Amino acid sequence: TCFLNLSLIVRITAFPLVLAFSELDGSPDAWERFDQFSFRDLCVRLGVSRRCYEEAFEPMILTGLFAPGAQCSAAAALEMAYFFVLQSQTAFDVQWCRGNIGQVIFDPLVQQLNATDKVEFLCSTRVNDFDINKSANGGIPRITNVQCTGVNGEETIIESDDVILAVGAKGLNNFVRFCPELAEFPQFRRFANLRGTNVLATRLFLDQELDITYSANACWRFDKGIGMTFLISKRCMDQMPLLLRMHQDQWLRSTTIIPLRCSH
C-alpha cells in the first residue's frame, strides 16, 4: 500500500480517483452510472498514469476481483478498493483449515448426517435432466423429479419437493445447455454469461525465516492477466510450529500457468 517504487509525481496522478469515490455513494443510480464502463477506462478518463495503473491498481484488481481492470466494472472495482484498501486495510480475515479440508471438515459432516438416517448420499451420480411442473394457474414452476445416472450406469428418478443447485458457474451452464426444460427460463439462460476463474496455490517451505513486513502481498507481472497474493502463513494460522517458515502463493486467474510442469 506504500507503493515505494512509484515516485510522488506518479502517485499524484491517482488523486482524481478521490472524485470517483465521492460520487459512488452506494445509491442504485451511482452504481448504474459507474457500471457502464470498465475500471481501466475510468483511470484513462481521469488521467491516471500508465505506470501508476499497471503497478498499483492492476495488481489490486487482479487479486481482488480475479480479472484485469479492463474486464471489471468500475463500480465493482471502486467498491472493492474502498472496502479492502481504504476501509479495512488491517482487517485480514483469512483463516486456513488445520489439515486436509476433506478429512477435517467434510468427512465428519458426512458421517454426522449419515448417522441421522434422514440423509442419503448418492456418490458418483450424474444429473441428466429435470422434470418441471409448469403450473397453468399462474403459480411458480417447480422441479418435481431429477433424472440421474448412477455409478453402474443405471437410470434413477428422484422425486423432489425442492432442488438446490449447489454447483459452480460451469455446472449451471452445463445444466442449462443439456436440459431444455431449464433453458426455457431466461434466468437460467443468463447463467451462460457467468464464468469462473482458475486459482493455483503453491507452498514454499524455507530453511530460514524471512523478515517480510506484510502478511498479505499482491504481486503481478507473470503471464498477462495473472495476479498473485503472497501470504505469510505463520501469521494466518496461529503460529503453528510446522508452518513457521511456510509461505503460500495464490496464483489468481492462472489458466495459462496451470499446464506447466513442476521443476526443482
Side-chain angles (χ1 to χ4, degrees), residues 151-183:
V151 62
N152 297 321
E154 70 275 11
E155 299 292 332
T156 305
I157 296 179
I158 303 174
E159 296 184 2
S160 61
D161 296 318
D162 295 288
V163 174
I164 299 174
L165 301 176
V167 295
K170 185 176 181 180
L172 284 171
N173 193 6
N174 286 335
F175 281 157
V176 177
R177 288 172 56 197
F178 297 109
C179 179
E181 297 276 357
L182 285 181

PDB file of all heavy atoms in Angstrom, residues 151-183:
ATOM      1  N   VAL A 151     -23.544 -44.921 -10.592  1.00  0.00           N
ATOM      2  CA  VAL A 151     -22.167 -45.316 -10.836  1.00  0.00           C
ATOM      3  C   VAL A 151     -22.072 -46.504 -11.789  1.00  0.00           C
ATOM      4  O   VAL A 151     -21.103 -46.653 -12.537  1.00  0.00           O
ATOM      5  CB  VAL A 151     -21.465 -45.634  -9.495  1.00  0.00           C
ATOM      6  CG1 VAL A 151     -22.148 -46.804  -8.801  1.00  0.00           C
ATOM      7  CG2 VAL A 151     -19.985 -45.907  -9.703  1.00  0.00           C
ATOM      8  N   ASN A 152     -23.091 -47.373 -11.809  1.00  0.00           N
ATOM      9  CA  ASN A 152     -23.092 -48.542 -12.688  1.00  0.00           C
ATOM     10  C   ASN A 152     -23.868 -48.306 -13.975  1.00  0.00           C
ATOM     11  O   ASN A 152     -24.132 -49.248 -14.734  1.00  0.00           O
ATOM     12  CB  ASN A 152     -23.690 -49.753 -11.958  1.00  0.00           C
ATOM     13  CG  ASN A 152     -22.849 -50.160 -10.757  1.00  0.00           C
ATOM     14  OD1 ASN A 152     -21.622 -50.126 -10.825  1.00  0.00           O
ATOM     15  ND2 ASN A 152     -23.499 -50.523  -9.660  1.00  0.00           N
ATOM     16  N   GLY A 153     -24.281 -47.080 -14.224  1.00  0.00           N
ATOM     17  CA  GLY A 153     -24.987 -46.757 -15.434  1.00  0.00           C
ATOM     18  C   GLY A 153     -26.490 -46.879 -15.349  1.00  0.00           C
ATOM     19  O   GLY A 153     -27.185 -46.647 -16.345  1.00  0.00           O
ATOM     20  N   GLU A 154     -27.005 -47.252 -14.175  1.00  0.00           N
ATOM     21  CA  GLU A 154     -28.450 -47.392 -14.051  1.00  0.00           C
ATOM     22  C   GLU A 154     -29.121 -46.026 -13.967  1.00  0.00           C
ATOM     23  O   GLU A 154     -28.597 -45.084 -13.360  1.00  0.00           O
ATOM     24  CB  GLU A 154     -28.816 -48.240 -12.827  1.00  0.00           C
ATOM     25  CG  GLU A 154     -28.557 -47.593 -11.478  1.00  0.00           C
ATOM     26  CD  GLU A 154     -27.147 -47.762 -10.972  1.00  0.00           C
ATOM     27  OE1 GLU A 154     -26.287 -48.211 -11.780  1.00  0.00           O
ATOM     28  OE2 GLU A 154     -26.883 -47.445  -9.797  1.00  0.00           O
ATOM     29  N   GLU A 155     -30.279 -45.922 -14.597  1.00  0.00           N
ATOM     30  CA  GLU A 155     -31.042 -44.680 -14.597  1.00  0.00           C
ATOM     31  C   GLU A 155     -31.896 -44.604 -13.335  1.00  0.00           C
ATOM     32  O   GLU A 155     -32.517 -45.590 -12.923  1.00  0.00           O
ATOM     33  CB  GLU A 155     -31.940 -44.606 -15.833  1.00  0.00           C
ATOM     34  CG  GLU A 155     -31.185 -44.631 -17.156  1.00  0.00           C
ATOM     35  CD  GLU A 155     -30.369 -43.372 -17.392  1.00  0.00           C
ATOM     36  OE1 GLU A 155     -30.768 -42.312 -16.859  1.00  0.00           O
ATOM     37  OE2 GLU A 155     -29.349 -43.442 -18.086  1.00  0.00           O
ATOM     38  N   THR A 156     -31.909 -43.432 -12.701  1.00  0.00           N
ATOM     39  CA  THR A 156     -32.653 -43.232 -11.460  1.00  0.00           C
ATOM     40  C   THR A 156     -33.452 -41.948 -11.559  1.00  0.00           C
ATOM     41  O   THR A 156     -32.961 -40.944 -12.094  1.00  0.00           O
ATOM     42  CB  THR A 156     -31.703 -43.155 -10.246  1.00  0.00           C
ATOM     43  OG1 THR A 156     -30.885 -44.316 -10.217  1.00  0.00           O
ATOM     44  CG2 THR A 156     -32.487 -43.035  -8.943  1.00  0.00           C
ATOM     45  N   ILE A 157     -34.672 -41.972 -11.053  1.00  0.00           N
ATOM     46  CA  ILE A 157     -35.504 -40.767 -10.971  1.00  0.00           C
ATOM     47  C   ILE A 157     -35.767 -40.473  -9.495  1.00  0.00           C
ATOM     48  O   ILE A 157     -36.281 -41.327  -8.764  1.00  0.00           O
ATOM     49  CB  ILE A 157     -36.828 -40.941 -11.730  1.00  0.00           C
ATOM     50  CG1 ILE A 157     -36.561 -41.120 -13.229  1.00  0.00           C
ATOM     51  CG2 ILE A 157     -37.727 -39.724 -11.504  1.00  0.00           C
ATOM     52  CD1 ILE A 157     -37.819 -41.311 -14.055  1.00  0.00           C
ATOM     53  N   ILE A 158     -35.393 -39.287  -9.078  1.00  0.00           N
ATOM     54  CA  ILE A 158     -35.556 -38.882  -7.677  1.00  0.00           C
ATOM     55  C   ILE A 158     -36.678 -37.860  -7.593  1.00  0.00           C
ATOM     56  O   ILE A 158     -36.590 -36.784  -8.206  1.00  0.00           O
ATOM     57  CB  ILE A 158     -34.246 -38.286  -7.116  1.00  0.00           C
ATOM     58  CG1 ILE A 158     -33.096 -39.291  -7.263  1.00  0.00           C
ATOM     59  CG2 ILE A 158     -34.419 -37.882  -5.666  1.00  0.00           C
ATOM     60  CD1 ILE A 158     -31.755 -38.716  -6.857  1.00  0.00           C
ATOM     61  N   GLU A 159     -37.717 -38.192  -6.871  1.00  0.00           N
ATOM     62  CA  GLU A 159     -38.796 -37.224  -6.659  1.00  0.00           C
ATOM     63  C   GLU A 159     -38.327 -36.159  -5.677  1.00  0.00           C
ATOM     64  O   GLU A 159     -37.617 -36.443  -4.711  1.00  0.00           O
ATOM     65  CB  GLU A 159     -40.036 -37.933  -6.123  1.00  0.00           C
ATOM     66  CG  GLU A 159     -40.641 -38.932  -7.102  1.00  0.00           C
ATOM     67  CD  GLU A 159     -41.915 -39.541  -6.555  1.00  0.00           C
ATOM     68  OE1 GLU A 159     -42.336 -39.157  -5.438  1.00  0.00           O
ATOM     69  OE2 GLU A 159     -42.495 -40.403  -7.251  1.00  0.00           O
ATOM     70  N   SER A 160     -38.740 -34.928  -5.928  1.00  0.00           N
ATOM     71  CA  SER A 160     -38.220 -33.830  -5.112  1.00  0.00           C
ATOM     72  C   SER A 160     -39.312 -32.820  -4.785  1.00  0.00           C
ATOM     73  O   SER A 160     -40.216 -32.578  -5.582  1.00  0.00           O
ATOM     74  CB  SER A 160     -37.081 -33.120  -5.848  1.00  0.00           C
ATOM     75  OG  SER A 160     -37.544 -32.567  -7.060  1.00  0.00           O
ATOM     76  N   ASP A 161     -39.203 -32.262  -3.588  1.00  0.00           N
ATOM     77  CA  ASP A 161     -40.026 -31.115  -3.211  1.00  0.00           C
ATOM     78  C   ASP A 161     -39.325 -29.813  -3.590  1.00  0.00           C
ATOM     79  O   ASP A 161     -39.938 -28.867  -4.072  1.00  0.00           O
ATOM     80  CB  ASP A 161     -40.310 -31.142  -1.704  1.00  0.00           C
ATOM     81  CG  ASP A 161     -41.125 -32.362  -1.304  1.00  0.00           C
ATOM     82  OD1 ASP A 161     -42.063 -32.701  -2.043  1.00  0.00           O
ATOM     83  OD2 ASP A 161     -40.814 -32.971  -0.265  1.00  0.00           O
ATOM     84  N   ASP A 162     -38.018 -29.773  -3.339  1.00  0.00           N
ATOM     85  CA  ASP A 162     -37.203 -28.613  -3.689  1.00  0.00           C
ATOM     86  C   ASP A 162     -35.840 -29.113  -4.142  1.00  0.00           C
ATOM     87  O   ASP A 162     -35.364 -30.163  -3.695  1.00  0.00           O
ATOM     88  CB  ASP A 162     -37.029 -27.661  -2.499  1.00  0.00           C
ATOM     89  CG  ASP A 162     -38.339 -27.028  -2.065  1.00  0.00           C
ATOM     90  OD1 ASP A 162     -38.830 -26.163  -2.808  1.00  0.00           O
ATOM     91  OD2 ASP A 162     -38.869 -27.420  -1.017  1.00  0.00           O
ATOM     92  N   VAL A 163     -35.195 -28.356  -5.003  1.00  0.00           N
ATOM     93  CA  VAL A 163     -33.875 -28.715  -5.516  1.00  0.00           C
ATOM     94  C   VAL A 163     -32.941 -27.523  -5.328  1.00  0.00           C
ATOM     95  O   VAL A 163     -33.281 -26.391  -5.682  1.00  0.00           O
ATOM     96  CB  VAL A 163     -33.929 -29.099  -7.009  1.00  0.00           C
ATOM     97  CG1 VAL A 163     -32.522 -29.337  -7.554  1.00  0.00           C
ATOM     98  CG2 VAL A 163     -34.779 -30.345  -7.201  1.00  0.00           C
ATOM     99  N   ILE A 164     -31.778 -27.781  -4.754  1.00  0.00           N
ATOM    100  CA  ILE A 164     -30.745 -26.754  -4.588  1.00  0.00           C
ATOM    101  C   ILE A 164     -29.605 -27.086  -5.547  1.00  0.00           C
ATOM    102  O   ILE A 164     -28.999 -28.160  -5.454  1.00  0.00           O
ATOM    103  CB  ILE A 164     -30.226 -26.702  -3.138  1.00  0.00           C
ATOM    104  CG1 ILE A 164     -31.366 -26.353  -2.182  1.00  0.00           C
ATOM    105  CG2 ILE A 164     -29.092 -25.684  -3.012  1.00  0.00           C
ATOM    106  CD1 ILE A 164     -30.969 -26.416  -0.730  1.00  0.00           C
ATOM    107  N   LEU A 165     -29.304 -26.189  -6.464  1.00  0.00           N
ATOM    108  CA  LEU A 165     -28.239 -26.395  -7.440  1.00  0.00           C
ATOM    109  C   LEU A 165     -26.932 -25.867  -6.851  1.00  0.00           C
ATOM    110  O   LEU A 165     -26.501 -24.746  -7.137  1.00  0.00           O
ATOM    111  CB  LEU A 165     -28.576 -25.697  -8.755  1.00  0.00           C
ATOM    112  CG  LEU A 165     -29.887 -26.147  -9.424  1.00  0.00           C
ATOM    113  CD1 LEU A 165     -30.159 -25.317 -10.673  1.00  0.00           C
ATOM    114  CD2 LEU A 165     -29.850 -27.624  -9.757  1.00  0.00           C
ATOM    115  N   ALA A 166     -26.291 -26.672  -6.007  1.00  0.00           N
ATOM    116  CA  ALA A 166     -25.062 -26.258  -5.321  1.00  0.00           C
ATOM    117  C   ALA A 166     -23.855 -26.593  -6.191  1.00  0.00           C
ATOM    118  O   ALA A 166     -23.019 -27.434  -5.848  1.00  0.00           O
ATOM    119  CB  ALA A 166     -24.971 -26.930  -3.959  1.00  0.00           C
ATOM    120  N   VAL A 167     -23.760 -25.937  -7.334  1.00  0.00           N
ATOM    121  CA  VAL A 167     -22.661 -26.148  -8.270  1.00  0.00           C
ATOM    122  C   VAL A 167     -22.118 -24.786  -8.686  1.00  0.00           C
ATOM    123  O   VAL A 167     -22.706 -23.748  -8.401  1.00  0.00           O
ATOM    124  CB  VAL A 167     -23.120 -26.945  -9.510  1.00  0.00           C
ATOM    125  CG1 VAL A 167     -23.547 -28.352  -9.125  1.00  0.00           C
ATOM    126  CG2 VAL A 167     -24.260 -26.234 -10.231  1.00  0.00           C
ATOM    127  N   GLY A 168     -20.991 -24.814  -9.375  1.00  0.00           N
ATOM    128  CA  GLY A 168     -20.387 -23.570  -9.834  1.00  0.00           C
ATOM    129  C   GLY A 168     -20.998 -23.064 -11.123  1.00  0.00           C
ATOM    130  O   GLY A 168     -21.962 -23.635 -11.659  1.00  0.00           O
ATOM    131  N   ALA A 169     -20.413 -21.986 -11.648  1.00  0.00           N
ATOM    132  CA  ALA A 169     -20.937 -21.363 -12.858  1.00  0.00           C
ATOM    133  C   ALA A 169     -20.884 -22.314 -14.042  1.00  0.00           C
ATOM    134  O   ALA A 169     -21.813 -22.376 -14.851  1.00  0.00           O
ATOM    135  CB  ALA A 169     -20.149 -20.086 -13.165  1.00  0.00           C
ATOM    136  N   LYS A 170     -19.811 -23.107 -14.155  1.00  0.00           N
ATOM    137  CA  LYS A 170     -19.690 -24.041 -15.267  1.00  0.00           C
ATOM    138  C   LYS A 170     -20.747 -25.131 -15.167  1.00  0.00           C
ATOM    139  O   LYS A 170     -21.350 -25.531 -16.174  1.00  0.00           O
ATOM    140  CB  LYS A 170     -18.292 -24.657 -15.278  1.00  0.00           C
ATOM    141  CG  LYS A 170     -18.041 -25.561 -16.472  1.00  0.00           C
ATOM    142  CD  LYS A 170     -16.609 -26.074 -16.480  1.00  0.00           C
ATOM    143  CE  LYS A 170     -16.348 -26.964 -17.689  1.00  0.00           C
ATOM    144  NZ  LYS A 170     -14.941 -27.464 -17.711  1.00  0.00           N
ATOM    145  N   GLY A 171     -20.992 -25.625 -13.939  1.00  0.00           N
ATOM    146  CA  GLY A 171     -22.010 -26.650 -13.763  1.00  0.00           C
ATOM    147  C   GLY A 171     -23.399 -26.151 -14.104  1.00  0.00           C
ATOM    148  O   GLY A 171     -24.190 -26.845 -14.751  1.00  0.00           O
ATOM    149  N   LEU A 172     -23.717 -24.925 -13.681  1.00  0.00           N
ATOM    150  CA  LEU A 172     -25.014 -24.344 -14.016  1.00  0.00           C
ATOM    151  C   LEU A 172     -25.173 -24.177 -15.524  1.00  0.00           C
ATOM    152  O   LEU A 172     -26.239 -24.438 -16.089  1.00  0.00           O
ATOM    153  CB  LEU A 172     -25.167 -22.986 -13.325  1.00  0.00           C
ATOM    154  CG  LEU A 172     -25.465 -23.015 -11.820  1.00  0.00           C
ATOM    155  CD1 LEU A 172     -25.367 -21.613 -11.245  1.00  0.00           C
ATOM    156  CD2 LEU A 172     -26.843 -23.592 -11.568  1.00  0.00           C
ATOM    157  N   ASN A 173     -24.105 -23.748 -16.161  1.00  0.00           N
ATOM    158  CA  ASN A 173     -24.149 -23.570 -17.608  1.00  0.00           C
ATOM    159  C   ASN A 173     -24.411 -24.908 -18.306  1.00  0.00           C
ATOM    160  O   ASN A 173     -25.193 -24.985 -19.255  1.00  0.00           O
ATOM    161  CB  ASN A 173     -22.825 -22.974 -18.093  1.00  0.00           C
ATOM    162  CG  ASN A 173     -22.900 -22.461 -19.515  1.00  0.00           C
ATOM    163  OD1 ASN A 173     -23.957 -22.446 -20.118  1.00  0.00           O
ATOM    164  ND2 ASN A 173     -21.773 -22.055 -20.054  1.00  0.00           N
ATOM    165  N   ASN A 174     -23.777 -25.977 -17.811  1.00  0.00           N
ATOM    166  CA  ASN A 174     -23.984 -27.294 -18.419  1.00  0.00           C
ATOM    167  C   ASN A 174     -25.419 -27.778 -18.212  1.00  0.00           C
ATOM    168  O   ASN A 174     -26.008 -28.404 -19.101  1.00  0.00           O
ATOM    169  CB  ASN A 174     -23.000 -28.302 -17.826  1.00  0.00           C
ATOM    170  CG  ASN A 174     -21.587 -28.097 -18.331  1.00  0.00           C
ATOM    171  OD1 ASN A 174     -21.381 -27.555 -19.413  1.00  0.00           O
ATOM    172  ND2 ASN A 174     -20.611 -28.512 -17.537  1.00  0.00           N
ATOM    173  N   PHE A 175     -25.978 -27.516 -17.028  1.00  0.00           N
ATOM    174  CA  PHE A 175     -27.366 -27.907 -16.781  1.00  0.00           C
ATOM    175  C   PHE A 175     -28.293 -27.267 -17.817  1.00  0.00           C
ATOM    176  O   PHE A 175     -29.180 -27.915 -18.373  1.00  0.00           O
ATOM    177  CB  PHE A 175     -27.801 -27.492 -15.384  1.00  0.00           C
ATOM    178  CG  PHE A 175     -27.318 -28.411 -14.303  1.00  0.00           C
ATOM    179  CD1 PHE A 175     -27.201 -27.958 -12.997  1.00  0.00           C
ATOM    180  CD2 PHE A 175     -26.993 -29.724 -14.562  1.00  0.00           C
ATOM    181  CE1 PHE A 175     -26.764 -28.804 -11.989  1.00  0.00           C
ATOM    182  CE2 PHE A 175     -26.553 -30.575 -13.566  1.00  0.00           C
ATOM    183  CZ  PHE A 175     -26.435 -30.115 -12.277  1.00  0.00           C
ATOM    184  N   VAL A 176     -28.089 -25.989 -18.054  1.00  0.00           N
ATOM    185  CA  VAL A 176     -28.967 -25.270 -18.977  1.00  0.00           C
ATOM    186  C   VAL A 176     -28.763 -25.754 -20.411  1.00  0.00           C
ATOM    187  O   VAL A 176     -29.712 -25.883 -21.188  1.00  0.00           O
ATOM    188  CB  VAL A 176     -28.712 -23.751 -18.878  1.00  0.00           C
ATOM    189  CG1 VAL A 176     -29.560 -22.994 -19.888  1.00  0.00           C
ATOM    190  CG2 VAL A 176     -29.032 -23.261 -17.473  1.00  0.00           C
ATOM    191  N   ARG A 177     -27.523 -26.051 -20.781  1.00  0.00           N
ATOM    192  CA  ARG A 177     -27.230 -26.497 -22.144  1.00  0.00           C
ATOM    193  C   ARG A 177     -27.871 -27.848 -22.453  1.00  0.00           C
ATOM    194  O   ARG A 177     -28.341 -28.083 -23.565  1.00  0.00           O
ATOM    195  CB  ARG A 177     -25.713 -26.588 -22.350  1.00  0.00           C
ATOM    196  CG  ARG A 177     -25.017 -25.235 -22.443  1.00  0.00           C
ATOM    197  CD  ARG A 177     -23.523 -25.432 -22.455  1.00  0.00           C
ATOM    198  NE  ARG A 177     -23.104 -26.324 -23.551  1.00  0.00           N
ATOM    199  CZ  ARG A 177     -21.910 -26.917 -23.583  1.00  0.00           C
ATOM    200  NH1 ARG A 177     -21.053 -26.747 -22.595  1.00  0.00           N
ATOM    201  NH2 ARG A 177     -21.602 -27.695 -24.610  1.00  0.00           N
ATOM    202  N   PHE A 178     -27.877 -28.739 -21.472  1.00  0.00           N
ATOM    203  CA  PHE A 178     -28.340 -30.109 -21.726  1.00  0.00           C
ATOM    204  C   PHE A 178     -29.737 -30.372 -21.174  1.00  0.00           C
ATOM    205  O   PHE A 178     -30.206 -31.502 -21.222  1.00  0.00           O
ATOM    206  CB  PHE A 178     -27.342 -31.111 -21.141  1.00  0.00           C
ATOM    207  CG  PHE A 178     -25.982 -31.030 -21.769  1.00  0.00           C
ATOM    208  CD1 PHE A 178     -24.907 -30.509 -21.071  1.00  0.00           C
ATOM    209  CD2 PHE A 178     -25.784 -31.443 -23.072  1.00  0.00           C
ATOM    210  CE1 PHE A 178     -23.653 -30.427 -21.646  1.00  0.00           C
ATOM    211  CE2 PHE A 178     -24.530 -31.360 -23.664  1.00  0.00           C
ATOM    212  CZ  PHE A 178     -23.460 -30.852 -22.951  1.00  0.00           C
ATOM    213  N   CYS A 179     -30.373 -29.361 -20.621  1.00  0.00           N
ATOM    214  CA  CYS A 179     -31.720 -29.534 -20.095  1.00  0.00           C
ATOM    215  C   CYS A 179     -32.637 -28.488 -20.727  1.00  0.00           C
ATOM    216  O   CYS A 179     -32.700 -27.348 -20.257  1.00  0.00           O
ATOM    217  CB  CYS A 179     -31.737 -29.409 -18.576  1.00  0.00           C
ATOM    218  SG  CYS A 179     -33.384 -29.592 -17.863  1.00  0.00           S
ATOM    219  N   PRO A 180     -33.343 -28.841 -21.796  1.00  0.00           N
ATOM    220  CA  PRO A 180     -34.233 -27.875 -22.447  1.00  0.00           C
ATOM    221  C   PRO A 180     -35.293 -27.316 -21.506  1.00  0.00           C
ATOM    222  O   PRO A 180     -35.746 -26.175 -21.689  1.00  0.00           O
ATOM    223  CB  PRO A 180     -34.874 -28.695 -23.573  1.00  0.00           C
ATOM    224  CG  PRO A 180     -33.941 -29.832 -23.818  1.00  0.00           C
ATOM    225  CD  PRO A 180     -33.339 -30.141 -22.478  1.00  0.00           C
ATOM    226  N   GLU A 181     -35.681 -28.107 -20.496  1.00  0.00           N
ATOM    227  CA  GLU A 181     -36.689 -27.628 -19.551  1.00  0.00           C
ATOM    228  C   GLU A 181     -36.187 -26.392 -18.812  1.00  0.00           C
ATOM    229  O   GLU A 181     -36.916 -25.408 -18.625  1.00  0.00           O
ATOM    230  CB  GLU A 181     -37.042 -28.740 -18.552  1.00  0.00           C
ATOM    231  CG  GLU A 181     -37.676 -29.967 -19.178  1.00  0.00           C
ATOM    232  CD  GLU A 181     -39.167 -29.787 -19.365  1.00  0.00           C
ATOM    233  OE1 GLU A 181     -39.691 -28.732 -18.962  1.00  0.00           O
ATOM    234  OE2 GLU A 181     -39.803 -30.697 -19.922  1.00  0.00           O
ATOM    235  N   LEU A 182     -34.939 -26.420 -18.369  1.00  0.00           N
ATOM    236  CA  LEU A 182     -34.369 -25.257 -17.668  1.00  0.00           C
ATOM    237  C   LEU A 182     -34.113 -24.101 -18.630  1.00  0.00           C
ATOM    238  O   LEU A 182     -34.251 -22.929 -18.268  1.00  0.00           O
ATOM    239  CB  LEU A 182     -33.069 -25.640 -16.964  1.00  0.00           C
ATOM    240  CG  LEU A 182     -33.160 -26.469 -15.688  1.00  0.00           C
ATOM    241  CD1 LEU A 182     -31.771 -26.724 -15.132  1.00  0.00           C
ATOM    242  CD2 LEU A 182     -34.019 -25.775 -14.641  1.00  0.00           C
ATOM    243  N   ALA A 183     -33.723 -24.430 -19.856  1.00  0.00           N
ATOM    244  CA  ALA A 183     -33.368 -23.397 -20.829  1.00  0.00           C
ATOM    245  C   ALA A 183     -34.552 -22.530 -21.222  1.00  0.00           C
ATOM    246  O   ALA A 183     -34.372 -21.453 -21.798  1.00  0.00           O
ATOM    247  CB  ALA A 183     -32.757 -24.040 -22.075  1.00  0.00           C
TER     248      ALA A 183
END
